[in-house]
């Protein structure tokens, strides 16, 4: 069977493993939460940055669209008449580098140069065009090779007449396309397949991203898009994760600490006892009590055995003390009383046959045992004699002794179990006036071997006879012990010499086989020995 130390260590080990697992899960969840939170913040920042750049450029282009109503009527007018208005409009629209008028495909008037006579397709091969265009290119007339954004608005269906506006996009790009490292390492403005990369000018193709993440957002009003590149929200969040480790470890330790205390009851041996009661894992055994005079079985002591499917057989020496420490001895006793009453037909239907049930003195408090017996035993009107066997582990209060008198009035006999092993044996005799004394097996074993204990057992026998108390000797294992006890006048014997504890379902068969006239040897009756 399991030892108490082994079982308690097993449950502490389980609690420790559970607490460590909880702490590890808390650590992982905390880091995961911080990672997801950081990643989401990074992603939101990327989206916000890109959206802001798109909205800013939209706002810069919108006044140009609104100003077309002033410029388009000038197409076809002489440059002398239109020039002043062009210059004034260019000055009003601060992002404009130049405004030009085109007639029959010829750029004939500019807000900067005045009169001109240049085919517009020489400046921009895609112009003139019958539809509005936005072109990202480089300046070939004023500031050579500087990035510019051209807006073309035709005023005639064949596209030969129109207004051309040149935006100083390089100045704007310094304002809108500034990277924000480490999250955003590159920002691009893309217009009709051409790209303005901040610091690198206009490019036909974007350079490779080199394992960078790419995010792009297009304008809903104009044909351009802003794209950003960087290591990505996930990677940056992962890189930032070690800085979250102290907080995660603190949360992990706290969660594991809480788990350790929260499982003190649920992952303990006391909780296992509750589970065992609920699942009916406890089994009733009984050990016969034999009359020393005729070697007939006159009663049984009910014993509780526990086969725990999770731990195996657990000794009463393990679970009974733990049950007492955790105030579970009363539920165990109720279980024994209930099961004994339910299976009482297994025992002889004889008022002289007694059934002994072990009870802790703590169960007497506030009349608890008496109430349980009323509900579980007396109301079933059993024929057999009930014996309440008290141990000396706990102190006996005055109220408890009064309760024992109530039990005796109900016809219940009182026995003191393991007499002589406690600290207050004589006090118990004075308070309880018991009907039966059960001599502890340690004294029975000492018969013929230990002079001190042999003397003590003689004193106990003499005390019981003087007080007219029935005596039961426990732990009888040798024929010479039985002979000595009979010679000293002990009325009842109990031990392996007669029978080992057995499941109560086996008791009727044992009784039928063993309650027969005893064998004789050398003119002395000898008990039947169960192997």
């Amino acid at each position: 069977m399991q030892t108490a130390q082994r079982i308690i260590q097993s449950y502490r080990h389980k609690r420790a493993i559970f607490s460590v697992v909880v702490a590890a899960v808390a650590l992982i969840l905390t880091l995961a939460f911080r990672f997801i939170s950081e990643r989401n913040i990074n992603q939101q920042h990327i989206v916000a940055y890109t959206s802001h750049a798109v909205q800013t450029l939209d706002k810069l282009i919108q006044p140009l669209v609104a100003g077309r109503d002033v410029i388009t009527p000038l197409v076809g007018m002489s440059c002398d008449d239109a020039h002043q208005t062009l210059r004034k409009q260019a000055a009003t629209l601060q992002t404009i580098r130049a405004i030009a008028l085109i007639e029959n495909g010829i750029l004939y008037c500019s807000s900067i140069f005045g009169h001109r006579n240049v085919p517009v397709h020489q400046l921009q091969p895609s112009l003139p065009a019958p539809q509005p265009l936005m072109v990202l290119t480089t300046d070939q007339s004023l500031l050579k090779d500087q990035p510019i954004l051209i807006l073309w608005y035709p005023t005639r269906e064949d596209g030969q007449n129109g207004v051309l506006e040149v935006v100083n996009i390089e100045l704007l790009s310094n304002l809108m396309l500034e990277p924000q490292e480490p999250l955003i390492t590159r920002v691009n403005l893309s217009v009709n397949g051409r790209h303005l990369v901040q610091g690198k000018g206009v490019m036909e193709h974007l350079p490779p991203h080199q394992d960078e993440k790419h995010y792009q957002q297009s304008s809903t009003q104009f044909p351009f898009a802003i794209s950003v590149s960087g290591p990505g929200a996930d990677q940056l969040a992962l890189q930032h994760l070690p800085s979250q480790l102290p907080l995660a470890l603190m949360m992990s330790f706290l969660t594991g600490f809480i788990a350790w205390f929260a499982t003190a009851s649920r992952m303990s041996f006391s909780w296992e006892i509750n589970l065992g009661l609920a699942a009916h894992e406890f089994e009733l055994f009984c050990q016969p009590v034999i009359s020393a005079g005729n070697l007939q079985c006159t009663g049984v002591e009910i014993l509780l055995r526990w086969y725990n499917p999770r731990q195996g057989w657990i000794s009463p020496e393990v679970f009974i003390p733990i049950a007492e420490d955790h105030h579970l001895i009363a539920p165990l006793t109720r279980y024994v009383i209930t099961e004994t009453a339910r299976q009482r037909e297994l025992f002889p239907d004889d008022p002289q046959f007694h059934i002994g049930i072990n009870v802790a003195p703590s169960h007497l408090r506030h009349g608890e045992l008496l109430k349980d017996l009323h509900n579980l035993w007396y109301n079933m009107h059993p024929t057999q004699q009930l014996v309440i066997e008290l141990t000396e582990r706990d102190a006996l209060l005055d109220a408890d002794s009064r309760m024992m008198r109530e039990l005796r009035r109900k016809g219940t006999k009182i026995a003191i179990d393991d007499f002589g092993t406690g600290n207050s044996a004589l006090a118990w005799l004075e308070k309880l006036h018991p009907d039966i004394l059960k001599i502890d097996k340690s004294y029975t074993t000492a018969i013929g071997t230990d002079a001190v204990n042999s003397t003590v057992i003689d004193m106990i026998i003499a005390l019981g006879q003087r007080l007219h108390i029935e005596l039961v000797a426990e732990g009888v294992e040798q024929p010479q012990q039985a002979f000595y006890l009979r010679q000293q006048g002990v009325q009842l014997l109990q031990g392996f010499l007669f029978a080992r504890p057995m499941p109560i379902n086996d008791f009727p068969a044992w009784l039928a086989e063993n309650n027969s006239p005893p064998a004789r040897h050398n003119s002395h009756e000898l008990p039947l020995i169960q192997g």
Side-chain angles (χ1 to χ4, degrees):
M1 291 188 181
Q2 300 272 14
T3 65
Q5 183 178 9
R6 180 179 175 183
I7 288 176
I8 292 172
Q9 286 179 348
S10 173
Y11 280 92
R12 285 179 177 171
H13 183 63
K14 290 179 181 178
R15 284 181 65 198
I17 291 176
F18 178 78
S19 299
V20 169
V21 170
V22 169
V25 170
L27 177 65
I28 294 171
L29 289 179
T30 301
L31 291 175
F33 174 79
R34 294 303 304 165
F35 170 78
I36 293 172
S37 176
E38 187 77 16
R39 181 195 64 185
N40 290 343
I41 291 174
N42 290 342
Q43 189 64 33
Q44 290 171 6
H45 184 74
I46 292 171
V47 173
Y49 175 90
T50 310
S51 298
H52 177 72
V54 171
Q55 292 171 6
T56 301
L57 190 54
D58 281 342
K59 290 179 181 179
L60 293 174
I61 297 175
Q62 284 170 356
L64 305 185
V65 176
R68 282 185 297 172
D69 294 337
V70 177
I71 300 172
T72 53
L74 302 179
V75 177
M77 294 177 56
S78 66
C79 190
D80 292 334
D81 295 334
H83 186 249
Q84 185 64 28
T85 304
L86 289 180
R87 293 184 61 187
K88 182 178 179 180
Q89 191 68 15
T92 303
L93 302 173
Q94 298 180 359
T95 57
I96 290 293
R97 174 178 294 182
I99 302 175
L101 302 179
I102 290 84
E103 185 176 23
N104 296 321
I106 302 299
L107 190 158
Y108 73 93
C109 188
S110 168
S111 61
I112 297 177
F113 300 107
H115 288 279
R116 298 202 70 184
N117 186 20
V118 180
V120 71
H121 70 273
Q122 292 182 5
L123 301 176
Q124 182 54 240
S126 59
L127 300 178
Q131 70 281 344
L133 285 181
M134 180 179 289
V135 181
L136 187 60
T137 185
T138 54
D139 192 356
Q140 299 300 324
S141 57
L142 186 60
L143 298 175
K144 296 289 186 178
D145 298 324
Q146 290 297 308
I148 57 173
L149 182 65
I150 295 177
L151 282 73
W152 164 254
Y153 304 106
T155 59
R156 204 168 69 183
E157 290 185 3
D158 61 1
Q160 294 300 307
N161 290 4
V163 176
L164 187 147
E165 296 178 325
V166 180
V167 179
N168 189 3
I169 195 63
E170 183 179 26
L171 175 62
L172 297 178
S173 68
N174 291 332
L175 298 175
M176 296 184 307
L177 308 182
E178 182 69 28
Q180 294 190 359
E181 296 183 350
L183 185 60
I184 299 172
T185 58
R186 190 175 70 194
V187 186
N188 313 311
L189 169 63
S190 300
V191 180
N192 292 323
R194 306 192 76 187
H195 313 280
L196 175 61
V197 180
Q198 204 274 340
K200 296 185 178 181
V202 178
M203 308 176 71
E204 294 292 336
H205 302 284
L206 287 173
H209 295 302
Q210 298 178 346
D211 297 329
E212 292 184 332
K213 301 297 181 180
H214 182 73
Y215 177 77
Q216 179 174 294
Q217 183 171 329
S218 300
S219 170
T220 58
Q221 302 181 47
F222 304 102
F224 73 87
I226 299 292
S227 59
V228 297
S229 301
D234 289 354
Q235 184 176 338
L236 281 180
L238 194 62
Q239 292 174 359
H240 189 251
L241 204 56
S243 66
Q244 305 298 318
L245 193 58
L247 174 63
L249 289 173
M250 186 182 303
M251 292 296 296
S252 173
F253 177 79
L254 180 61
T255 306
F257 189 74
I258 293 173
W260 173 262
F261 281 96
T263 55
S265 60
R266 288 185 173 270
M267 293 190 70
S268 65
F269 194 58
S270 60
W271 179 256
E272 194 75 29
I273 292 175
N274 282 316
L275 288 179
L277 287 171
H280 291 272
E281 295 171 359
F282 291 92
E283 183 178 355
L284 295 190
F285 277 51
C286 66
Q287 187 172 27
V289 178
I290 306 299
S291 170
N294 59 15
L295 298 181
Q296 300 295 295
C297 178
T298 61
V300 293
E301 178 184 359
I302 300 297
L303 304 170
L304 196 59
R305 295 294 183 263
W306 184 15
Y307 180 75
N308 183 318
R310 297 162 295 280
Q311 296 283 348
W313 284 103
I314 299 178
S315 169
E317 295 178 357
V318 173
F319 69 80
I320 293 297
I322 294 176
E324 290 175 339
D325 291 342
H326 291 83
H327 309 290
L328 291 173
I329 198 66
L332 284 175
T333 304
R334 290 190 197 101
Y335 182 90
V336 171
I337 296 172
T338 301
E339 292 299 306
T340 303
R342 185 176 64 84
Q343 302 178 75
R344 66 189 185 281
E345 70 277 357
L346 296 173
F347 303 107
D349 190 17
D350 183 350
Q352 299 303 315
F353 188 89
H354 74 266
I355 298 176
I357 294 177
N358 291 280
V359 173
S362 59
H363 199 168
L364 302 176
R365 308 287 190 264
H366 313 295
E368 188 177 2
L369 177 63
L370 186 59
K371 294 175 185 176
D372 290 337
L373 289 175
H374 273 299
N375 296 329
L376 305 174
W377 183 267
Y378 297 139
N379 64 352
M380 301 187 74
H381 308 290
T383 304
Q384 297 88 350
Q385 170 71 57
L386 178 64
V387 177
I388 294 299
E389 301 186 9
L390 292 174
T391 60
E392 297 182 77
R393 289 190 182 96
D394 299 331
L396 190 68
L397 304 179
D398 291 338
D400 300 336
S401 60
R402 292 196 299 270
M403 194 59 57
M404 298 314 297
R405 290 195 292 271
E406 291 295 324
L407 292 174
R408 191 174 283 108
R409 290 191 187 100
K410 299 290 292 185
T412 300
K413 285 188 176 182
I414 309 302
I416 297 179
D417 196 17
D418 301 331
F419 184 76
T421 59
N423 298 321
S424 55
L426 295 178
W428 278 48
L429 290 179
E430 180 183 357
K431 288 184 178 182
L432 292 182
H433 304 290
D435 304 288
I436 301 169
L437 287 184
K438 300 192 74 173
I439 303 170
D440 185 68
K441 62 181 180 181
S442 62
Y443 298 113
T444 302
T445 305
I447 293 174
T449 60
D450 188 325
V452 175
N453 280 343
S454 295
T455 302
V456 173
I457 195 172
D458 291 341
M459 294 174 61
I460 293 174
I461 294 171
L463 178 64
Q465 292 171 342
R466 182 70 179 268
L467 296 176
H468 306 288
I469 299 174
E470 195 171 16
L471 294 171
V472 179
E474 298 179 300
V476 180
E477 298 182 359
Q478 302 296 330
Q480 60 268 31
Q481 295 171 351
F483 178 77
Y484 180 85
L485 292 166
R486 285 200 306 270
Q487 291 294 102
Q488 297 300 315
V490 175
Q491 299 95 332
L492 300 171
L493 306 175
Q494 180 181 353
F496 290 175
L497 181 63
F498 309 101
R500 292 179 178 273
M502 67 189 75
I504 62 172
N505 290 327
D506 297 344
F507 178 74
W510 179 92
L511 185 65
E513 182 180 347
N514 289 274
N515 258 17
S516 57
R520 292 180 176 270
H521 182 70
N522 293 336
S523 301
H524 294 293
E525 294 181 350
L526 290 178
L528 298 177
I529 300 175
Q530 293 294 311

